[in-house]
Amino acid sequence: MPSPAPDPNRTYNRLLLLVAGLGGLLYGVDVGIIGGALPYLEATSGLDGGQLSIIVAAVLLGSVISTLFAGLLADWLGRKPLMVISGAIFVLSIPVIALSHGFAPLFFGRLLQGVSGGLVGIVVPLYLAECLSAQDRGKGTGAFQWLLTLGIFSAAAIGIYYSYRVAGLASSTSPSALFLVKDQAWRRIFWMSMPPGILFVGGSLFVAESPRWLFRRGQKELARDALLRSRSTQQATLEMEEMEQTSLSAQHAFVARGAMKDSLLRRKYVLPFLLACVILFCNTATGINSIIGYNTDILLQSGLSDLYAHWGYVLFTFVNFLMTIVGMTLVDRKGRKFLFILGTSGIIVSLLFVGTLFLRTEKDRYDVRATLQAMVGQEQNLLLHFDAAEARRLLEASALTGVSADRLSLAIIYSYGGFTGTTSPLRSGDAGEVSLHIDRQSSLPSSKVEAFFRNPFVDLDAARTAPLKIEHAYIGPVPDAVHGWLVALGLYGFVAFYALGPGVCVWLALSELMPTRIRSNGMSIALVINQMVSTTLAGIFLPVVGKYGYSMMFFLFCGFTVIYLLTTAFFLPETKGKTLEEIEAYFEAA
């Protein structure tokens, strides 16, 4: 018997899922790549904690900018061209970052990555919702989220590879040579993130334009051809008839009710839009992006060594990847609302656990501000090599007795004028520790534009002559490895519950809640709010940690997650098994 001919529709649908997955992979690498690179960037870039926070937050700021216009661009250019453009921007950002020296090119490169991620986060789910049939829409969203977590895991695996290289040389090479190794490590980590962008651009060139977008542009024959690539002739004919009927119904409603009565202020538009905005706000406010971006640093300060902290981050991303698969299998069985409630409940418990662990160790911190202020030189700079001997001297000068100087952590908060900086916590006893150097040139913005992003209310010219002021200098014991692994377990619980519930459901809820008329622009506005929250949290993370400790950030994340739980429990309808039209009708009748 001859073998059956391959189904062209099935082949094309697989291509659509592959492109969706590559979009998710690109988005995941976008989010996760900084986690493995950040420790080496801290050690070699000469940037202070405030500048590093901005570098981490720059990708989120770029997402805010691009997300704001993504819906308009998708309607103007089309879904397919915008996917190609978003992938090309990501590819361009890699050499900008990897070849950079100094704050400005790093900031610009990370900003480009954020622009790419913001476009991908809008256009890929929008494209899938309009191209895939009802029975395949869940698979498409699942493929996007699944490959997103794979992208984060891949970025972590790249980080652990270079962590082994650095650890192998730490005890057998000079400090200057180790510095060069670390400098090359973070650059190569970024270079290795380029292939997903190239693959996404290539895949996007082989898919058809969205049939819904073509239909709204009056290109009905092209819309039918696009449908025929993924559906049978009968299915394509039926969907074309439905699009015709929907278009005619909308025109009749507009004439019958008048333009004012069919405004965007109607209940069926406002209620789901506001609910989607609150859900996306709280989703980011769980701290997921900040915990991913600063994961290695968190584990380092919890008591793990550099190598184990990188391994802890790899396990963190692997748990995220595995639990996303579990969530994908349950979302159509148990429903969106059930997984939201289960996930947010588990997140609250995990955040309380981690915050309490840090609170127990951070209560033993001491402020040695006066001692360090006395060490500031005539040029208003501070040079400090924080080893065990220096830690002991600081304790003695600050009249702190009975504190062991073997393993201590030091975090300094300082300012020139109104521009505040925070050093990343230094640990005495770490191999190859680089001397801390605070000076005016590296601490102040290099331009008015950078100054605006740092603090728009401060006069840069006045700050250039202001003295160095040590606001706080917290010194305290570094926890042991047992404490570090307990924190790691708490973070694994956090990401497991996040992946099981919000991680899988939030993209699906966004596309399902938004009514057809406002879907592209509504998704843009909601995701702008999401990215603004993420940018703010990433930007304040290190300064808040330096001043108040990690416990404050975890308790803050926990508070927002409580709001998340209450919102989904009392206001989110169950959308499992309902068509988009049924969901829209629910809000109009609510």
Side-chain angles (χ1 to χ4, degrees), residues 162-429:
Y162 282 100
S163 180
Y164 266 106
R165 291 197 62 187
V166 171
L169 295 171
S171 59
S172 60
T173 190
S174 65
S176 59
L178 184 61
F179 180 91
L180 292 176
V181 171
K182 290 183 177 181
D183 183 66
Q184 288 299 311
W186 70 263
R187 297 179 190 277
R188 290 175 180 174
I189 286 173
F190 278 105
W191 278 120
M192 293 181 72
S193 66
M194 183 182 281
I198 297 174
L199 290 174
F200 179 67
V201 172
S204 298
L205 292 173
F206 288 97
V207 297
E209 181 54 88
S210 159
R212 266 79 180 178
W213 184 84
L214 292 169
F215 183 87
R216 286 196 293 272
R217 288 299 181 103
Q219 303 177 34
K220 296 183 180 180
E221 287 302 318
L222 291 177
R224 181 179 177 83
D225 291 341
L227 285 172
L228 286 172
R229 293 190 69 179
S230 59
R231 295 155 173 80
S232 65
T233 303
Q234 183 179 1
Q235 289 173 320
T237 302
L238 180 61
E239 291 196 31
M240 286 294 294
E241 291 175 354
E242 288 177 347
M243 284 189 274
E244 291 279 7
Q245 291 173 359
T246 301
S247 178
L248 289 174
S249 298
Q251 293 175 14
H252 292 158
F254 183 83
V255 172
R257 298 179 179 180
M260 293 301 294
K261 291 184 179 179
D262 196 43
S263 72
L264 297 180
L265 297 179
R266 290 177 59 193
R267 179 183 300 179
K268 72 173 185 176
Y269 298 133
V270 173
L271 290 182
F273 171 73
L274 291 177
L275 183 58
C277 288
V278 172
I279 286 176
L280 282 173
F281 176 98
C282 293
N283 191 76
T284 301
T286 60
I288 181 63
N289 288 334
S290 294
I291 292 175
I292 289 174
Y294 292 105
N295 193 274
T296 306
D297 272 14
I298 294 170
L299 294 178
L300 278 169
Q301 295 307 313
S302 71
L304 297 183
S305 66
D306 178 80
L307 187 59
Y308 283 140
H310 277 85
W311 263 117
Y313 179 50
V314 171
L315 291 175
F316 177 90
T317 58
F318 188 62
V319 170
N320 187 21
F321 177 67
L322 287 182
M323 294 306 294
T324 298
I325 300 174
V326 176
M328 287 169 55
T329 62
L330 294 177
V331 67
D332 287 325
R333 297 180 186 177
K334 297 294 185 180
R336 286 67 155 149
K337 186 167 185 173
F338 172 81
L339 291 184
F340 266 125
I341 294 173
L342 176 63
T344 51
S345 299
I347 289 171
I348 291 170
V349 174
S350 301
L351 289 173
L352 283 174
F353 177 70
V354 175
T356 302
L357 285 173
F358 274 113
L359 185 64
R360 291 174 57 188
T361 60
E362 289 166 352
K363 66 182 181 181
D364 295 326
R365 296 197 310 171
Y366 305 96
D367 195 346
V368 294
R369 181 194 65 81
T371 303
L372 284 180
Q373 185 69 60
M375 296 171 60
V376 173
Q378 292 183 349
E379 299 296 324
Q380 297 302 309
N381 60 357
L382 176 65
L383 181 62
L384 179 71
H385 184 77
F386 190 62
D387 54 14
E390 182 63 25
R392 189 175 299 108
R393 197 191 69 79
L394 287 175
L395 292 173
E396 293 173 354
S398 304
L400 295 173
T401 59
V403 180
S404 173
D406 292 337
R407 294 191 75 214
L408 290 176
S409 173
L410 175 67
I412 304 172
I413 304 167
Y414 62 93
S415 66
Y416 286 98
F419 291 103
T420 301
T422 307
T423 66
S424 300
L426 303 175
R427 303 198 309 183
S428 63

Side-chain angles (χ1 to χ4, degrees), residues 74-96:
D75 287 341
W76 176 44
L77 297 173
R79 286 38 167 162
K80 176 180 175 177
L82 192 57
M83 288 195 296
V84 175
I85 291 171
S86 63
I89 292 173
F90 180 85
V91 173
L92 174 64
S93 72
I94 300 303
V96 173

